[in-house]
Structures are given as structure tokens and as C-alpha cells.
Amino acid sequence: MTQEQPAQTNAQPPVPPPQTPVPVPTPTPTPAVPPPTPVPPPRAVPPVPPQVAAQPLPKAAVEVMPKAGATPPHGFAVSKSLLFGGIAGLVVVLAVAGTVYAYVEKIGPFAQVPYTQDNLLSGLLQSFSKIQSSSYTLSGSVAVGPRDPDAKPFTLTIPNAAEVEEQYRNDVKRTEDVSTMMGILKYAKTYPRTIGGIASANTSKYYASSFATTDPKTRQPYGYVVAEDGKNFALTVSFETNDAIKKIRQSYDFSSSTTQITGNTVIFTKDSPYYIYLSHTPPKPFLVQLSDLVRMAPSEMHAKLSVGAQSDWSKKDADWKFNANATADFGDLSFKIDFDALRTDSLYYVRLNNIPSIFGSSLAAYKGTWISIDPAATSTQEGLGYSYSSYVKSLSSNESEYKKSREEAVQFMLAAVAIADKEHLLSFGKPPYAEVLNGQRVYRYDLSFNKESILAFYQQLGVEARKYPTLSGDTLFDDPGMVEYLKSDAFSQVFDYVSKNTTLTVWVDTDGYLTRVSYGMRLVPPDTAVMLKDKQVNASIDLLLTDINTPVRIDTPTGAKPLQEIMGQVYTNLYEYDKSVSTSTIKGK
């Protein structure tokens, strides 16, 4: 009985069901549970009496505020899912919009390069035919800079150098013999019947008698016969080197109809060049000559030359404007030359913008002044008539010659490009790719030449050149020696070196028009150029095309002075002409 009393004392009465709240008096606490003592606000909460057991709170009341690390409530998880869904939807919208933009602008995976490796050159030429007007700038620069780690001088290895030198010396002797015999025969009253009689026919003191009539190698007599009933002759000589044949072709008054060349055998007649000069020193390969030239370069140098023009090329008598600019910096010495020229309303205008006074003291005073030139005018000022007329005539004739040669050059270029594409002269160094150049979207082509295609290209180019009067017979395109050289090991060495030290890049816009061509070359001085042992010369050529098919507007300069007036002032300054002499202009008929 004593142990059961605590259980009866701690038992709680059942909780009555909730009722509508009504004002009721405060219930009297049961004797088992005394009422809690009120807690004043500023005082601490008193401890719970030990006889009253703590009542556990309902579970819902415990989870009203989540504890750290607990799972968020259901509403928060829904908001997070909606956020992720919105972001994913935005990404999809942006991806679709970007794809549409790339397709419209032909960029990214939808980009299409205008030309392939098989039609690059011909495609560019076709686009040229669609150009009615444009501006172009052609520039070249040469600068000395630090040597690249992989830069090396060019060296040519010739296995049979001694044999080649002997062949060249023999040809030097042959050209001397031919020149002497041709000089004697030119002034002979009658041609001797045999080659041995040429020496006895020498009546001129200007020709040495110590020439030979036999070949220096075979020791056999040169071929010689009298032709056309004694009115002509045929002197036949066989040479060993292409250098001798090239010099003969380059001789003054050479004609293939009067001097027949078959391989290395030449037949001279009375109308052949009678003087042939072949240096006693064999000519060096082109790259070796460049290396020798580079050794003389100053250690501080940066020079640039550019020319630019704008015109409507579709018109035969179109107006145009032109600019030329040259700058040079040699360390402690620098200078600049710049001038403009234009043609409008059948008049020419020239303006000198920059020129060092030390080079052009008479013209420096007219910097910034437009000078007008009227082709239909002549000057009656004393001392100026001939000079002025010669200036005007040369200006007009040069313009007409340029237009004539330009038409022929364009036709030849078209044919050359077709041959180049046919023979696969160029190949892509790497796939073309898009980039931005001067604010314009373009495609870049890094190109390289194919060694195996150069010989066939050159031979077909020579055949094509014979169709044009100004190119027919030109030794540049009709040189059997060049054909042999392109087959040689020496050319292979030169080609390999050039390929490693040059770059060729072409930029084309999205419409297929050429916008820029750049060619760069690295020239390394020989090791014997000790002053440039850590230097190299960087040379480049750039062609920039802009304003394609945009209207050309060339305004007439204001305040221009006639050329006659300028020339009169210059002559007065230089030669003390009377300044009171007036100038007048007479319009030509």
C-alpha cells in the first residue's frame, strides 16, 4: 500500500473536449497540480516544481521550424523545381535562337567557305570580273629585327661544283670567240669561205687576233658555212650551260628568226647580235644573291612603300585618284615622302604632301598645294615650252599605255589562273576558317605551293605567253634553261628553304570577293655577316581591296595652281629667270 500511492498521486485527469469559449472564472487547481507561479518580465523564469512532470508537446508543434540539415518543407521543394525548369527552358530558347542566327549569318556549323582547294584561284578571278569599282592599296615593307630561333642562312650544296665551273669557263671562252668573229664578219667586204679565213679577214684594229676557231672542250672547229650566194653565213656553236643561252637571248637586237637556238646549240647569222657578254664569275643563285644583299643591310632599318588607287574600272575613260607613300627609319635618320594624284574632267591634279627638303628643295615649298595639268594646254613662257609639253605628253601616253597593257595583263592572268587550278599549283596549309578583318567577316586561306606542279605550270604558262604580243619571246616565259633548272636538285633545295621561310595568305569575304593578299619572307644574313649575327630581315607584300562596287566620287580640288606657274617659279629660283616674264596658256586644237 505504501508503494502504490505515488502512482495515484501522479495520475492526471482526462482532458475535456473543446467547448465554445465563454468567460468563466479561473478554475481552481487540483490539489495534485499546483498552479504555476507568475513570472515577472524582468526576472528569470523559476524552475518547474519537481513534483510536476513535464508534458510532451504534440509532434506537429515540434516540426514547425526545421532544424539545420533537415529536409525542406514541401513548398520550398516545389519552388526549386520551378526555378530549375525555368533556367532549362531559357537555355533551350537561347540555343534555338543561336542556331537560327548562325544559319542566317552562315557562321559556326553552317559556315560555308566560298572556295575549295580546286577552284580557289579561278573563283577569285571570276569574282574580279564582277568588280565595277574599288579601292586598292599595294604595300611592301622591309625591316630588320631579332633573329628567330629556327632561322638559318641559306646554303646551296652542289655535288659537281668543279665540273659546273669548268663548263661555265668553257662557255665564257666560246662567247668571247663568237663576239670577235661576229665583229670581224660584220665589217668584212666578203665573207671568207672557211672558218680559218676569218682571221685573215680581220681588217679592224678593234678586234683582237687571239681568238680561237675551235671549241675549248672538243678541240673541233666551230661550224661555219657561207649561205645565200655569199650574202650570209651560219656560225654554229654548242654551249654547255643555260647561263650562256640566257645571255644570248637577252642580247641587244636578238631575234629568234635570225638567231636559231635548238637546245644549247646556236646558229649565228649576219643579223645576229655581234656582242655577247658573259661574266667571268658564274652567277649566284637568286637566294644566294639575296643573302649577299642582306649582309649590307643596316642593323636598324624599317622601310615601307605603298601605292593606292580608286577608280571605276568598268569605264574606259574613267576618273581616278592615286596616292604613293614611302617611309624609312634608319635609327637616327628617318624621312617620309607622300603625294596624291587624280584625274577628273579630263584634267590632272598633283599634290605633294611630304618630301624632305634636302631631296627636293625646289618642290618642298609647294607642299600641300594642288597643281593642275591641262593636257590640251601649252606654255609660251621662255624656257618652258618644251619641258611643259614633254611632261604633258608623257603623262597622257603613260595613262593610255597602262590601260592597254592592263587589258592584256588581265587576259593573261585569267589564263594563268586557270592553268594553276588545273595543275593544283596551290594547296591549303590548313583548313580555311572565319575571322574578322578590319571589322569585316572574312575567310582566311593559308596557302602553300606544290613543288611537283611548278614545272608543268611553267611550261604551259610559256605556251600561253606566246599568244600575247608583249609577252611573246620574253625570256621569263620562254627559257629552256629554266625548265632544266626546275628539274634540278638545286631548285629542290631552294624550294624547300623558301617554303620554310615564307607565308602566303588570302582573305575572302562572304560574297567571294578578295579582300587581302599577304606574302611574307624571312631573309637570314650569312654567318659571315658578323654585324647581323642576331638579326634577320623581314620582307612583306600586301594587297588590300576595299570599297568594292561602291560609287566612286572624285572631287575637283579647289585653289589649284597651273603647272606652268609652278615651273616658272622654280626656273626663276634656280636659273634667275626674269620674274616679270608672264605665262600664258594656249588651248590646243
Side-chain angles (χ1 to χ4, degrees):
M1 294 298 292
T2 303
Q3 296 179 353
E4 293 178 357
Q5 289 179 358
Q8 294 176 358
T9 303
N10 295 335
Q12 298 294 327
V15 180
Q19 297 179 3
T20 303
V22 292
V24 292
T26 304
T28 301
T30 59
V33 181
T37 304
V39 181
R43 300 177 65 180
V45 179
V48 179
Q51 67 272 19
V52 181
Q55 300 296 320
L57 295 176
K59 185 176 182 180
V62 176
E63 295 184 353
V64 170
M65 296 298 294
K67 298 180 180 180
T71 304
H74 179 69
F76 182 80
V78 172
S79 300
K80 187 174 182 181
S81 300
L82 290 175
L83 177 62
F84 288 158
I87 295 176
L90 180 61
V91 171
V92 172
V93 171
L94 292 176
V96 172
T99 302
V100 173
Y101 177 79
Y103 176 78
V104 173
E105 297 295 327
K106 302 301 182 184
I107 61 177
F110 301 102
Q112 298 178 359
V113 293
Y115 307 113
T116 65
Q117 187 167 278
D118 295 329
N119 68 346
L120 173 64
L121 295 179
S122 58
L124 288 176
L125 261 296
Q126 289 179 4
S127 68
F128 261 94
S129 64
K130 301 177 184 178
I131 296 178
Q132 302 297 321
S133 62
S134 66
S135 301
Y136 76 84
T137 302
L138 178 64
S139 62
S141 65
V142 179
V144 176
R147 184 174 297 191
D148 296 333
D150 63 334
K152 297 180 180 179
F154 173 73
T155 55
L156 180 64
T157 303
I158 303 178
N160 56 339
E163 180 183 353
V164 172
E165 290 179 4
E166 182 181 359
Q167 293 173 349
Y168 186 85
R169 286 195 300 268
N170 291 338
D171 278 352
V172 170
K173 184 65 175 67
R174 293 184 182 103
T175 56
E176 292 175 347
D177 293 341
V178 169
S179 295
T180 301
M181 289 188 288
M182 289 293 294
I184 294 173
L185 293 172
K186 181 177 179 65
Y187 296 100
K189 295 181 179 180
T190 59
Y191 299 131
R193 308 304 299 179
T194 64
I195 193 171
I198 295 179
S200 59
N202 184 13
T203 59
S204 175
K205 62 181 180 179
Y206 297 106
Y207 297 100
S209 58
S210 60
F211 66 92
T213 58
T214 57
D215 186 88
K217 181 179 181 180
T218 65
R219 304 302 178 183
Q220 297 297 317
Y222 296 122
Y224 174 81
V225 294
V226 178
E228 301 176 13
D229 296 330
K231 298 179 181 179
N232 204 345
F233 63 87
L235 176 63
T236 304
V237 179
S238 294
F239 296 87
E240 295 183 73
T241 66
N242 295 319
D243 296 313
I245 301 299
K246 186 175 182 179
K247 281 295 182 181
I248 294 171
R249 290 178 179 273
Q250 294 175 346
S251 298
Y252 176 75
D253 220 15
F254 169 82
S255 173
S256 58
S257 60
T258 58
T259 306
Q260 301 178 23
I261 299 178
T262 305
N264 282 354
T265 300
V266 184
I267 301 177
F268 299 91
T269 66
K270 66 174 184 178
D271 297 318
S272 297
Y274 65 91
Y275 179 73
I276 305 169
Y277 174 75
L278 191 62
S279 171
H280 284 241
T281 303
K284 297 179 180 179
F286 178 69
L287 277 182
V288 177
Q289 295 180 37
L290 276 182
S291 298
D292 291 343
L293 183 63
V294 167
R295 75 162 56 246
M296 295 184 292
S299 58
E300 294 181 275
M301 179 182 69
H302 189 181
K304 182 178 181 180
L305 172 66
S306 67
V307 294
Q310 183 182 31
S311 180
D312 188 338
W313 311 108
S314 64
K315 300 178 181 179
K316 291 185 177 181
D317 194 31
D319 293 339
W320 49 263
K321 60 182 179 180
F322 174 87
N323 173 266
N325 179 286
T327 59
D329 187 349
F330 299 97
D332 295 330
L333 172 65
S334 62
F335 64 87
K336 181 179 182 180
I337 300 176
D338 184 276
F339 73 90
D340 292 307
L342 61 87
R343 176 183 183 260
T344 179
D345 297 331
S346 300
L347 297 179
Y348 299 97
Y349 296 86
V350 178
R351 180 179 64 184
L352 192 61
N353 301 315
N354 299 97
I355 187 172
S357 298
I358 193 173
F359 296 147
S361 58
S362 300
L363 299 176
Y366 301 100
K367 288 191 294 186
T369 301
W370 280 105
I371 302 173
S372 62
I373 306 173
D374 187 354
T378 57
S379 175
T380 59
Q381 183 174 355
E382 181 182 356
L384 299 184
Y386 174 77
S387 298
Y388 181 81
S389 299
S390 62
Y391 283 135
V392 172
K393 288 181 179 178
S394 63
L395 189 61
S396 300
S397 62
N398 289 340
E399 183 184 12
S400 61
E401 282 295 323
Y402 165 75
K403 291 180 178 178
K404 180 181 178 181
S405 60
R406 179 178 178 272
E407 293 178 0
E408 186 173 296
V410 169
Q411 294 301 319
F412 178 70
M413 189 180 300
L414 287 171
V417 165
I419 296 173
D421 270 348
K422 175 185 174 184
E423 297 298 332
H424 302 288
L425 182 64
L426 293 173
S427 61
F428 293 171
K430 54 185 175 181
Y433 59 92
E435 65 180 12
V436 176
L437 179 66
N438 297 328
Q440 182 183 15
R441 184 176 181 79
V442 294
Y443 292 96
R444 172 171 175 157
Y445 296 81
D446 294 293
L447 307 175
S448 59
F449 287 92
N450 294 321
K451 184 194 303 185
E452 296 76 12
S453 303
I454 293 180
L455 176 59
F457 170 76
Y458 177 79
Q459 290 175 321
Q460 295 185 48
L461 198 64
V463 174
E464 186 67 28
R466 299 187 188 105
K467 301 177 182 178
Y468 302 89
T470 58
L471 299 177
S472 181
D474 194 318
T475 56
L476 177 62
F477 303 105
D478 188 14
D479 185 2
M482 178 61 71
V483 174
E484 294 301 319
Y485 171 70
L486 294 177
K487 298 178 182 178
S488 67
D489 178 69
F491 168 72
S492 183
Q493 295 181 52
V494 170
F495 182 89
D496 293 342
Y497 183 84
V498 170
S499 298
K500 295 178 181 178
N501 292 273
T502 59
T503 58
L504 176 60
T505 309
V506 172
W507 287 265
V508 180
D509 67 12
T510 54
D511 294 324
Y513 290 115
L514 177 70
T515 59
R516 183 185 176 189
V517 179
S518 178
Y519 179 81
M521 185 174 188
R522 179 177 64 183
L523 303 172
V524 185
D527 293 333
T528 53
V530 293
M531 301 298 293
L532 300 171
K533 63 178 181 178
D534 297 325
K535 304 286 186 178
Q536 68 183 34
V537 177
N538 301 307
S540 66
I541 299 176
D542 269 280
L543 174 64
L544 191 64
L545 224 61
T546 57
D547 302 325
I548 297 176
N549 292 334
T550 59
V552 177
R553 178 179 176 179
I554 300 177
D555 298 325
T556 301
T558 58
K561 294 183 177 181
L563 178 61
Q564 302 97 310
E565 179 182 340
I566 300 297
M567 292 180 64
Q569 294 174 0
V570 171
Y571 276 45
T572 300
N573 180 65
L574 294 178
Y575 307 111
E576 299 181 358
Y577 279 172
D578 188 355
K579 296 182 180 180
S580 63
V581 177
S582 61
T583 61
S584 61
T585 301
I586 303 175
K587 291 291 181 181
K589 296 182 179 180

